[in-house]
Amino acid sequence: MNMTFRWYGRNNDTVNLENIQQIPDVKGIVWALHHKPAGDVWEKEEIQSELEYIQSFGFHGEVVESVNVHESIKLGNEERDFYIENYKQTIRNLGEFGVKVICYNFMPIFDWTRTELYKELPDGSTALFYEKLKVDNLDPQELIDTVAAASDLTLPGWEPEKLARIKELFEAYKEIGESDLWRNLGYFLHEILPVAEEAGIKMAIHPDDPPWSIFGLPRIMTGRESLEKLLAISDSPSNGITFCTGSLGANPANDMVKLAAEFAGRSPFAHIRNVKIYENGDFIETSHLTSDGSINIKGVVKELSDIQYEGYVRPDHGRHIWDEKCRPGYGLYDRALGIMYLHGLWDAYQSEKRGNSNVSNS
Ligand code: DNO
């Protein structure tokens, strides 16, 4: 298990690399050039400058999250080949600087979606919350009008350049169903995977969050069948998964322990966090502790330990605790607590495997 921490860069994050150095055994920083619009080539000089900074703190920068996929590629329109060529160039450039994993997603228009960013939990902390009915009942036209009218709207996980094009994008997706999206994903992967292989990079698709269709837009990375279907597109070793417990786990039908047993070997990257799911389908993010939420985090880490998982792991969204002011879900404190829980589970399962030896480094 190669522990990492997601960081949004020198100008974009309340957390700094000195802070992250004080969390035990974090080996790498999960980074991105967050200022780059989807579809632009990441130039070598920009990559080098970011990586040199990260490495100067003793961290590796082997995981990038995300290189976002341009909507033309998801839509499969006539501009897609241009953007796929750019994507390939970005892969080559990242490979040259030792990047090993690129996390990406194939969600139309919206990345992760929540109805409240600071919902209070019983312990007084706040966390990201999803109210199912609210999203189910939202009229997409109302959403388009709100977004189009708000000139300064920013949402986490939202690429700002999409704001201006929201109407046009919704219009274009009217033509696109799930099977079209699968076809377009297949086309994209067949184009880029040979380049990724040559560059020594594994592509790791992030599941949809939440893992069901929202606002009438198709979503296809939603559960076991999707993961199987994704892997069936190509058996290239570069065709992989970001195993995200909180995204897939928001649907109680997805048993994350079983899925870990089945798919961890094809997941070069894992996001581990917990969510509490309510009977009406709402969910809230909790601490990483198994008993705080609905996902068996212990069981997932046990599966990883059983296969001596060597991939990259990061804690995922945390609560906002101890009055921390931070990016929603991406503070320092709760994610650091999450890391210590994951380390603890891992160490315990590892020493159990080795027969409970009391040698401290066993
Ligand atoms: C949310 C993240 C996602 C993820 C992208 C990957 O916090 O897990 O935004 O980075 O979906 O492309």
Side-chain angles (χ1 to χ4, degrees):
M1 182 166 80
N2 189 323
M3 187 58 74
T4 61
F5 198 86
R6 189 179 196 186
W7 176 68
Y8 280 88
R10 279 166 272 191
N11 306 318
N12 262 323
D13 208 320
T14 53
V15 181
N16 60 43
L17 296 186
E18 284 94 346
N19 297 151
I20 303 171
Q21 275 178 325
Q22 293 176 0
I23 309 171
D25 201 29
V26 172
K27 296 189 169 68
I29 295 298
V30 172
W31 64 281
L33 296 179
H34 288 279
H35 61 282
K36 299 291 278 191
D40 278 17
V41 174
W42 293 18
E43 303 298 345
K44 290 186 193 171
E45 305 70 46
E46 311 171 286
I47 295 172
Q48 185 169 14
S49 144
E50 196 67 359
L51 275 177
E52 278 177 0
Y53 183 74
I54 289 170
Q55 287 160 355
S56 72
F57 286 81
F59 294 119
H60 71 69
E62 292 168 5
V63 184
V64 168
E65 176 178 351
S66 313
V67 179
N68 286 327
V69 177
H70 195 272
E71 294 299 323
S72 296
I73 298 176
K74 298 179 216 165
L75 286 163
N77 68 22
E78 63 283 355
E79 290 176 343
R80 78 168 146 188
D81 290 326
F82 170 79
Y83 288 110
I84 289 178
E85 288 312 311
N86 283 359
Y87 207 99
K88 289 180 186 168
Q89 194 52 46
T90 297
I91 293 176
R92 289 189 197 100
N93 291 351
L94 288 170
E96 242 179 73
F97 289 93
V99 167
K100 303 282 180 239
V101 172
I102 295 177
C103 171
Y104 70 104
N105 73 75
F106 220 70
M107 291 177 249
I109 312 183
F110 300 96
D111 195 320
W112 57 288
T113 303
R114 300 288 184 272
T115 53
E116 254 183 272
L117 300 176
Y118 302 102
K119 174 93 170 170
E120 199 166 315
L121 281 156
D123 62 10
S125 63
T126 62
L128 306 176
F129 175 66
Y130 185 90
E131 188 179 337
K132 189 154 189 307
L133 259 188
K134 195 167 186 175
V135 177
D136 289 352
N137 292 339
L138 201 126
D139 172 12
Q141 191 54 47
E142 205 180 302
L143 175 74
I144 295 170
D145 293 342
T146 317
V147 172
S151 54
D152 59 350
L153 185 69
T154 54
L155 295 171
W158 173 260
E159 297 157 44
E161 68 274 14
K162 284 188 195 166
L163 273 181
R165 300 179 52 215
I166 187 87
K167 277 191 187 163
E168 172 197 331
L169 284 171
F170 260 95
E171 205 49 45
Y173 275 106
K174 279 194 181 147
E175 310 291 316
I176 304 290
E178 286 181 11
S179 54
D180 303 295
L181 202 56
W182 273 112
R183 205 172 31 252
N184 296 340
L185 174 60
Y187 183 96
F188 171 62
L189 287 175
H190 284 303
E191 285 288 320
I192 63 161
L193 288 175
V195 178
E197 267 188 55
E198 214 177 291
I201 287 185
K202 293 193 167 139
M203 298 300 303
I205 195 164
H206 191 285
D208 301 341
D209 184 1
W212 52 77
S213 160
I214 54 168
F215 312 136
L217 298 164
R219 286 194 158 193
I220 55 175
M221 291 306 304
T222 55
R224 193 184 166 282
E225 264 176 45
S226 329
L227 299 178
E228 240 183 2
K229 203 163 162 180
L230 180 270
L231 295 177
I233 290 177
S234 160
D235 56 14
S236 159
S238 289
N239 186 25
I241 298 161
T242 297
F243 190 82
C244 180
T245 59
S247 303
L248 288 174
N251 179 351
N254 289 329
D255 178 332
M256 295 316 297
V257 178
K258 279 198 186 139
L259 292 179
E262 198 173 347
F263 294 104
R266 291 299 302 271
S267 306
F269 188 25
H271 291 176
I272 309 190
R273 70 176 157 90
N274 210 343
V275 290
K276 183 170 173 52
I277 307 166
Y278 298 97
E279 257 169 40
N280 61 3
D282 294 355
F283 63 85
I284 189 155
E285 301 186 357
T286 63
S287 86
H288 288 58
L289 192 72
T290 300
S291 56
D292 272 355
S294 307
I295 299 177
N296 183 356
I297 300 294
K298 298 192 279 208
V300 169
V301 176
K302 174 147 191 344
E303 291 300 332
L304 299 184
S305 167
D306 282 353
I307 62 160
Q308 281 310 120
Y309 183 73
E310 284 179 355
Y312 304 92
V313 170
R314 72 168 178 84
D316 205 350
H317 305 166
R319 300 162 301 150
H320 319 108
I321 61 175
W322 303 329
D323 296 327
E324 185 177 16
K325 303 278 171 284
C326 55
R327 297 179 75 92
Y330 282 96
L332 174 65
Y333 307 141
D334 202 36
R335 286 190 296 157
L337 291 179
I339 286 191
M340 289 314 292
Y341 181 56
L342 300 179
H343 278 328
L345 289 171
W346 176 267
D347 283 355
Y349 289 129
Q350 287 286 301
S351 63
E352 198 174 70
K353 267 174 86 173
R354 291 174 193 154
N356 284 319
S357 151
N358 61 4
V359 179
S360 68
N361 64 357
S362 68

